[in-house]
Amino acid sequence: DTSSSSAPASGGPSSRGAMQAVPTLVADRILETLADANAPLDSKTLALIMNSYLSSRAGNKAITAFEAAVGLSADGSQSLKHGVTITRSKSKTSKSLVPSLSALNIFTATALLRAHALRGDISSACRVLAAIEGKPSVIGGIESAVWAMADDVTADTRCYNIVLAAAAKAGGKEASERALELFNAMQDPPNVRNQSTVTLSPNAVIKSEVSYNTMISLFAKEKRLSDALNVFYDMRNVGIRPDKFTYTSVLKALVAERDFNGAEELLQEMRAGSYKPDVVTYNTLIKGLCDSLLWFRAKGLITEMEGMGVKPNSMTYGLLMNGLLKVNKPDACLTLFESAYSDARTSYLTENIYLYTTAITAASRLGDYERALDLLGRMKAVGVKPNIKTLTALTGALLSAKKPDLALSVYNQIQKSSVKPDGYSLSIGIKVNCESGLLEDAASILTEQRTGGREMSGRDVMFGYNYLIGAALKRSRFDVARAAMTELLESGYIPSKLLYKTMLFSLNMIRKKDKYNNIIRKETDLEIDENDRFQYLLFVLDSIRGRNLECDGGFYSLTVQEGFSLGGNRRKLVRSIVSQRVQDTANIQQELSEDVLTDMQEWSWEAYFDHLNESGTEVVANDKDVNDEKVFPPVRVRITDINRRQLFMAEKRAAPLLLRKGKNKKRRADKWTASSVTTSR
């Protein structure tokens, strides 16, 4: 039963979240009590309240408390904030505090900087820093204020470090440049190693170990390896000893640039020094190696790691298992998981949602749905609750094993979940519904992405349309296939070569082959009505023409071959299609009565085929101008070196007399040359 789940164990994420919310609740009650009493806050009380909010990562509430208690704008601008209300959580009533500038000191201002750093608001943090220092500056198009700090205290190293942390969290070129400007404005510390004496200016802001580490981390995040190394070398030159955080940040910068030799040299330097590499340091390098598909080097690093007495953790196993999947070794991935699970020393590490999800994904790659279900039962037995990614991996395993009914039951649990499915889960949902015959449900997923949802990427959406159209054609549901093709084109997508092949496969017009080039099977064993199939081919030609796009050469060639082979009106139609494409300026005049001309305002090949079936009247091609402006749509074809001969043979068979004319040969050759210049891929 895949619907049952175990409750999270005590001390899990939910309990930790409840404990983190306690400081916020206490701070809320204090503010509500003071607002009811219409009393001001002093600086100590305000600092305690703001720090309580920050400990729960409630930066917005800390900012609101500052504006309500001090009456100044928390973004460091010159505007005032009077009448900021405190809303009671239960009654939803609001009251204001009595603002007082006495609540402003270096501690409350530092707490405000931390709130902006928590939100990654570098512009507001820089304005607040300028306001503390009393240096008006225009930052982000807004001029900063000048705050009168108690006891004439100005910004210190901690304030600067907080602003640097805000820049590191914000990321981007602008934040990096502001951080570098602040870092350069700070004064280098005295060289402890050489005992040099440096005359420090009054109120000097000295670079600390945290300052250097923050800048190295920022440059590593921005993949600026040379800048990160420069700060690292400057740090050592002034006599500050790098710590584990420093080495890990530099290691991240080296890994981001795929300089694994430099990363291993850095590990050797750490071993020779006082700071030994820990599991976080090793995991950083292992992740980079696995992402670069260097799994054997990552495995060797694990051996070295254990030899140094550093025990792998669950993250280490997760990185290795994911690396094995990336190099297409799902069986080895499962073996690694089972070995860790069966070992008493590491079995507790496998009680992790990420590891179980990766193992189920590996079983899905192997098509072993029974093992995937067994893994799901084991994870529930140890109290690990499956998430959407786990259920999605299980759904994929059931699909690979040709168990669409079971896959649908698992996917229904994903839909009932309170968490919104991601793009990959929705893609799996499209496959499940198509394999279960619920084509309308699959189509509704794509329609929702068009009308409002943005969970699926453009690639996922194209995959969904490709799968839906193929499944609909295999079941002779031409209505669904037509609607999906129309929606795809109206959404601005261009049919890919894979989509054309999928349609031909599903219509049994071409066969799949194995790696030895042997035909292995038809796409479907269902009998497809020849008339419906041919009309769908015409519908695709008309739809592509409606978007002024070029049709795939292989698809066009097989359409012509299909019409010629079926004979009758279909052969007449493809002869008209070929003549229209071959002739440079040919208009095809229709010998119809005026009432038919009025009924058929927009010509299409499908409409003309219906008319042929009803009246038997054929269109005649000529090179003369005609008074009637109603002409058939031109067929634009993408010609490549691969399909050039196939297209020529198809057209020659369909219209041999037309292609024997010398002038048409020349025109046709010129037309092919012009098309090939711009359409070959």
Side-chain angles (χ1 to χ4, degrees):
D1 179 12
T2 57
S3 62
S4 61
S5 61
S6 302
S10 60
S14 59
S15 60
R16 288 196 299 269
M19 292 299 296
Q20 290 178 353
V22 171
T24 298
L25 296 175
V26 174
D28 286 342
R29 298 293 87 79
I30 295 174
L31 282 178
E32 292 170 5
T33 302
L34 292 173
D36 291 339
N38 200 25
L41 267 73
D42 57 24
S43 58
K44 290 184 179 180
T45 306
L46 177 59
L48 288 173
I49 291 174
M50 293 180 69
N51 287 325
S52 297
Y53 284 133
L54 293 174
S55 66
S56 302
R57 306 188 66 81
N60 291 330
K61 286 194 171 186
I63 291 173
T64 301
F66 177 87
E67 291 182 339
V70 180
L72 298 175
S73 178
D75 65 355
S77 62
Q78 297 179 356
S79 60
L80 301 178
K81 292 288 184 179
H82 292 303
V84 177
T85 58
I86 304 299
T87 304
R88 300 184 69 90
S89 58
K90 293 184 178 181
S91 62
K92 303 299 180 182
T93 57
S94 300
K95 287 191 176 182
S96 301
L97 293 172
V98 178
S100 174
L101 290 176
S102 62
L104 176 64
N105 65 3
I106 190 62
F107 300 104
T108 55
T110 301
L112 179 60
L113 286 174
R114 289 178 57 201
H116 289 309
L118 186 64
R119 299 172 66 242
D121 190 350
I122 180 62
S123 298
S124 296
C126 288
R127 280 194 297 269
V128 170
L129 182 64
I132 295 173
E133 293 184 317
K135 300 176 181 178
S137 303
V138 178
I139 301 172
I142 302 175
E143 186 174 359
S144 64
V146 176
W147 291 349
M149 304 298 295
D151 301 327
D152 294 330
V153 177
T154 186
D156 55 7
T157 299
R158 186 163 184 259
C159 293
Y160 272 75
N161 288 342
I162 293 173
V163 179
L164 293 179
K169 183 176 180 61
K173 183 177 180 181
E174 182 180 357
S176 300
E177 296 302 325
R178 287 184 179 174
L180 186 59
E181 182 181 351
L182 284 175
F183 183 73
N184 291 333
M186 301 173 71
Q187 191 165 341
D188 292 335
N191 194 321
V192 179
R193 183 185 303 166
N194 298 328
Q195 298 297 323
S196 60
T197 58
V198 177
T199 303
L200 300 177
S201 58
N203 299 326
V205 180
I206 309 299
K207 296 176 182 176
S208 66
E209 180 182 352
V210 177
S211 309
Y212 285 101
N213 286 345
T214 304
M215 290 303 298
I216 293 173
S217 177
L218 186 149
F219 288 136
K221 181 180 178 181
E222 297 296 320
K223 297 183 179 180
R224 296 167 59 174
L225 176 60
S226 59
D227 292 330
L229 292 177
N230 287 337
V231 176
F232 176 67
Y233 295 141
D234 290 343
M235 178 182 185
R236 294 200 299 189
N237 289 336
V238 298
I240 297 179
R241 179 181 297 177
D243 58 7
K244 290 183 179 180
F245 184 84
T246 311
Y247 282 113
T248 302
S249 298
V250 176
L251 193 67
K252 288 181 180 178
L254 292 168
V255 169
E257 292 295 325
R258 300 182 183 275
D259 186 1
F260 299 116
N261 293 331
E264 291 178 351
E265 291 177 2
L266 188 67
L267 282 181
Q268 293 178 1
E269 180 180 325
M270 292 183 67
R271 297 188 203 101
S274 57
Y275 290 106
K276 303 299 180 183
D278 58 7
V279 65
V280 177
T281 309
Y282 278 106
N283 284 348
T284 301
L285 183 52
I286 291 171
K287 182 180 185 302
L289 292 171
C290 291
D291 290 342
S292 301
L293 306 182
L294 300 175
W295 187 81
F296 288 102
R297 291 183 66 175
K299 184 179 179 181
L301 196 61
I302 293 291
T303 304
E304 176 187 316
M305 174 182 176
E306 293 175 335
M308 294 291 296
V310 180
K311 295 182 179 180
N313 59 9
S314 59
M315 179 63 71
T316 311
Y317 281 100
L319 293 171
L320 286 175
M321 291 173 64
N322 192 47
L324 287 168
L325 285 181
K326 287 184 176 180
V327 296
N328 198 24
K329 294 181 179 293
D331 49 351
C333 176
L334 282 173
T335 301
L336 178 62
F337 176 81
E338 295 296 352
S339 63
Y341 178 82
S342 58
D343 193 337
R345 297 170 299 176
T346 57
S347 60
Y348 71 97
L349 296 176
T350 62
E351 298 176 5
N352 179 284
I353 183 64
Y354 179 78
L355 295 186
Y356 271 106
T357 301
T358 307
I360 292 175
T361 303
S364 173
R365 298 273 185 91
L366 295 172
D368 191 349
Y369 78 97
E370 293 180 347
R371 193 167 186 179
L373 290 173
D374 176 66
L375 288 168
L376 182 68
R378 284 157 56 181
M379 70 182 294
K380 289 181 178 181
V382 296
V384 180
K385 184 179 180 180
N387 58 14
I388 285 184
K389 290 186 177 181
T390 312
L391 296 176
T392 302
L394 179 59
T395 305
L398 294 170
L399 280 177
S400 300
K402 306 298 182 183
K403 300 290 183 181
D405 295 337
L406 286 176
L408 183 62
S409 65
V410 176
Y411 181 74
N412 288 335
Q413 296 178 38
I414 297 178
Q415 291 182 307
K416 295 176 183 178
S417 173
S418 58
V419 181
K420 202 169 185 179
D422 57 9
Y424 180 70
S425 298
L426 293 175
S427 298
I428 293 293
I430 293 172
K431 293 180 65 176
V432 170
N433 285 301
C434 287
E435 294 299 327
S436 302
L438 304 176
L439 301 178
E440 288 77 7
D441 292 344
S444 65
I445 296 176
L446 291 168
T447 303
E448 289 175 1
Q449 293 299 305
R450 180 188 179 193
T451 56
R454 292 294 183 269
E455 291 79 16
M456 298 177 68
S457 64
R459 183 177 180 181
D460 292 336
V461 171
M462 278 299 300
F463 165 82
Y465 280 115
N466 181 77
Y467 205 93
L468 174 60
I469 292 173
L473 293 177
K474 284 189 289 184
R475 296 174 180 270
S476 294
R477 290 292 306 276
F478 292 97
D479 56 333
V480 177
R482 285 170 177 262
M485 188 69 179
T486 302
E487 188 174 280
L488 179 145
L489 293 171
E490 290 178 351
S491 301
Y493 293 100
I494 298 176
S496 63
K497 189 174 182 179
L498 177 61
L499 177 57
Y500 285 111
K501 282 189 175 182
T502 299
M503 290 188 289
L504 295 173
F505 277 134
S506 302
L507 292 170
N508 282 338
M509 297 180 68
I510 56 178
R511 302 288 186 263
K512 286 188 175 181
K513 298 182 179 181
D514 60 14
K515 62 181 179 179
Y516 302 108
N517 207 33
N518 297 318
I519 297 175
I520 51 178
R521 65 180 176 89
K522 292 182 178 181
E523 187 65 14
T524 176
D525 294 327
L526 298 176
E527 292 296 331
I528 298 177
D529 184 78
E530 294 177 347
N531 187 63
D532 291 339
R533 175 168 61 189
F534 186 69
Q535 282 201 301
Y536 180 79
L537 296 173
L538 296 179
F539 160 76
V540 174
L541 290 181
D542 290 330
S543 300
I544 297 299
R545 186 269 311 171
R547 282 288 314 279
N548 198 26
L549 300 173
E550 290 178 325
C551 180
D552 178 74
F555 185 88
Y556 167 80
S557 302
L558 289 175
T559 301
V560 173
Q561 291 178 20
E562 177 77 2
F564 181 82
S565 300
L566 294 175
N569 289 333
R570 301 175 184 85
R571 182 174 295 185
K572 295 177 182 179
L573 180 67
V574 296
R575 184 173 63 239
S576 299
I577 293 176
V578 171
S579 63
Q580 176 71 357
R581 198 195 79 81
V582 171
Q583 298 186 61
D584 294 336
T585 59
N587 289 328
I588 302 181
Q589 183 181 11
Q590 189 176 36
E591 300 174 352
L592 297 174
S593 59
E594 289 298 329
D595 57 340
V596 176
L597 289 173
T598 304
D599 293 338
M600 300 175 63
Q601 295 298 323
E602 294 185 3
W603 292 119
S604 67
W605 293 113
E606 190 177 8
Y608 174 45
F609 179 63
D610 291 336
H611 170 73
L612 283 178
N613 291 331
E614 293 174 2
S615 65
T617 305
E618 186 179 356
V619 166
V620 180
N622 58 33
D623 293 329
K624 298 179 181 179
D625 295 332
V626 293
N627 295 326
D628 191 356
E629 296 181 354
K630 293 181 181 295
V631 295
F632 282 94
V635 178
R636 300 178 58 201
V637 181
R638 183 186 304 120
I639 304 174
T640 64
D641 293 337
I642 297 176
N643 61 39
R644 185 186 302 274
R645 178 173 177 80
Q646 180 189 14
L647 190 147
F648 173 76
M649 296 303 296
E651 290 187 333
K652 182 179 179 181
R653 188 183 181 193
L657 295 177
L658 181 67
L659 296 181
R660 286 175 185 172
K661 297 179 181 180
K663 60 177 183 179
N664 284 333
K665 283 186 178 181
K666 182 178 183 304
R667 288 174 179 173
R668 190 165 184 267
D670 294 340
K671 195 174 186 67
W672 277 21
T673 303
S675 300
S676 301
V677 172
T678 58
T679 58
S680 297
R681 286 188 175 181

